[in-house]
Amino acid sequence: MIHDDILKRLRTSRGGFVSGAQLAETLGVSRAAVWKHIKALERDGYGIEAVPSKGYRLLSLPDRIVAGDLAVRSGARGIGRSIVLRDEVASTNTLAMELAQQGAEDGTVVSAESQSGGKGRLGRSWISPRGNLYLSVILRPVVPVHKAPLLTLMGAVAVASTLRKHSGIAAGIKWPNDILVDGSKIAGLLTEMSAEPDRIRHIVLGIGVNVNMDLRELPVDVRRASTTIAAVAGRDFDRTAFLAVLLTELDWWYSRFLKNEAEVLTAWQELNVTLGNRVTVSGFGHSLEGAALGIDADGRLILKMDDGSLRPVAAGDVTIVKKHGHGPRGQGRR
Ligand code: BTN
């Protein structure tokens, strides 16, 4: 698309001018057509300076996620090859489940600027004001149903890796899938599935990342345990750029999962902040306390109880009672 090509050229000129004549020639259109596309980009929220003898120069990006821009950056293959962007939805997971039911392809991503009924784990709500990332990925893996929880761990590895690589934030994973920075939650994942007893129809991997929101948008009790990329880094972040890296990471880790799921478990273990500590796991009306020994091949947490027995736990909320060691490599800012 000419719109995307112009954007790509403006981007790659790194703040320098690109002449209208040059754009027209390389794209095989008239200078008037280039000008029309520039106007369309401005309507999309891009700040573009036009100087008669010099051409066009990109000054600023829109404060929202732009599909064309995302495709230019991520390469748009595998996860994210099809992207549905909305302004506000009840929940991207709910919309993604509906689209999956209607046949949306493996790797389709649904993202929204805000959610009016965002869903969290264990039936909680996920407060979703503007300024963050809310996305759900439709996956159709051909793997046994009991392997589905590993996809949440896969997603957690992709999110933590993106935070480390893109934002320079040393994020760790608390079992099963809370992404923490120095003990505060910066992202969370919620996986939903449609399956028959022996076959996964589709999985929706929902990811919420706190990017630029004002933490005062959260109720006090949630706020105390939360942080944002902007709060940790001390500046606002380009959400489209973050999402593009996240899609690339998800694509990579999903391909690793399909090839050899043990690689995902190894990466998860390296990034985790749970194992090796004494923990309580609560949920479903009861709570267990023990030493978090490891995770099994299906992603369940193995607790060593005080009587020496081993107890696999499939779901719950972990609280670290007593910390041993130093968590994942490089905790703290990079
Ligand atoms: C949690 O930690 O409790 C999980 C939070 C998951 C939130 C994301 S935001 C995008 C997707 N849509 C939802 O309604 N929930 C997930």
Side-chain angles (χ1 to χ4, degrees):
M1 266 167 63
I2 293 177
H3 177 286
D4 293 346
D5 286 341
I6 292 180
L7 191 54
K8 198 171 186 175
R9 272 154 221 277
L10 291 177
R11 273 193 174 292
T12 48
S13 77
R14 297 171 189 279
F17 282 95
V18 182
S19 91
Q22 203 186 332
L23 281 171
E25 198 188 320
T26 40
L27 301 175
V29 296
S30 68
R31 287 177 69 169
V34 168
W35 183 80
K36 271 193 192 159
H37 284 288
I38 293 283
K39 288 289 146 198
L41 283 168
E42 284 178 341
R43 281 196 299 279
D44 269 354
Y46 289 89
I48 297 172
E49 185 183 12
V51 176
S53 56
K54 291 183 171 170
Y56 303 103
R57 160 161 93 130
L58 188 60
L59 295 179
S60 61
L61 303 171
D63 183 27
R64 66 190 159 73
I65 293 151
V66 181
D69 199 14
L70 200 55
V72 168
R73 286 164 184 254
S74 72
R77 35 172 191 84
I79 288 181
R81 84 190 99 180
S82 169
I83 300 179
V84 177
L85 290 182
R86 292 279 190 273
D87 187 51
E88 178 165 288
V89 293
S91 153
T92 55
N93 264 30
T94 306
L95 178 56
M97 284 299 270
E98 285 165 13
L99 295 176
Q101 233 111 48
Q102 292 159 19
E105 63 177 337
D106 178 64
T108 300
V109 171
V110 179
S111 178
E113 295 291 332
S114 64
Q115 301 183 117
S116 55
K119 299 187 283 187
R121 284 177 58 237
L122 306 170
R124 299 191 189 110
S125 60
W126 184 258
I127 297 159
S128 309
R130 286 172 191 276
N132 291 337
L133 276 177
Y134 310 105
L135 66 141
S136 301
V137 186
I138 297 171
L139 300 172
R140 298 183 182 279
V142 185
V143 296
V145 177
H146 66 96
K147 293 289 176 196
L150 292 182
L151 283 160
T152 323
L153 302 191
M154 180 283 288
V157 168
V159 174
S161 303
T162 305
L163 283 163
R164 285 169 171 253
K165 285 185 187 165
H166 177 268
S167 322
I169 291 174
I173 309 170
K174 186 173 74 139
W175 184 89
N177 48 22
D178 282 351
I179 312 295
L180 305 183
V181 179
D182 289 334
S184 298
K185 186 153 166 171
I186 201 161
L189 294 93
L190 173 70
T191 306
E192 296 185 65
M193 172 167 73
S194 166
E196 290 161 22
D198 57 352
R199 185 180 79 93
I200 294 173
R201 277 195 216 100
H202 50 260
I203 281 182
V204 163
L205 178 62
I207 303 173
V209 186
N210 297 340
V211 186
N212 296 327
M213 87 170 147
D214 185 338
L215 279 161
R216 285 170 301 187
E217 304 247 24
L218 298 179
V220 180
D221 54 329
V222 184
R223 192 189 310 163
R224 261 194 236 113
S226 306
T227 191
T228 64
I229 298 179
V232 176
R235 67 175 175 93
D236 276 5
F237 265 73
D238 174 354
R239 290 175 303 132
T240 307
F242 186 92
L243 182 52
V245 178
L246 177 56
L247 296 183
T248 309
E249 286 289 317
L250 281 166
D251 194 45
W252 164 255
W253 284 108
Y254 186 45
S255 72
R256 299 329 299 156
F257 167 81
L258 293 175
K259 213 162 182 187
N260 175 14
E261 60 201 35
E263 272 185 48
V264 172
L265 287 171
T266 305
W268 187 94
Q269 276 161 345
E270 280 175 11
L271 289 163
N272 98 90
V273 294
T274 309
L275 304 185
N277 295 308
R278 189 164 178 84
V279 299
T280 59
V281 186
S282 54
F284 310 105
H286 62 278
S287 143
L288 293 169
E289 184 168 330
L293 214 60
I295 47 171
D296 68 12
D298 293 342
R300 293 178 303 178
L301 180 67
I302 307 296
L303 281 188
K304 185 170 184 193
M305 310 303 286
D306 289 342
D307 63 6
S309 63
L310 298 183
R311 182 114 172 217
V313 187
D317 258 340
V318 165
T319 308
I320 297 172
V321 183
K322 198 166 163 213
K323 238 182 148 64
H324 291 284
H326 302 288
R329 282 180 283 133
Q331 265 288 51
R333 296 282 310 289
R334 268 204 298 209

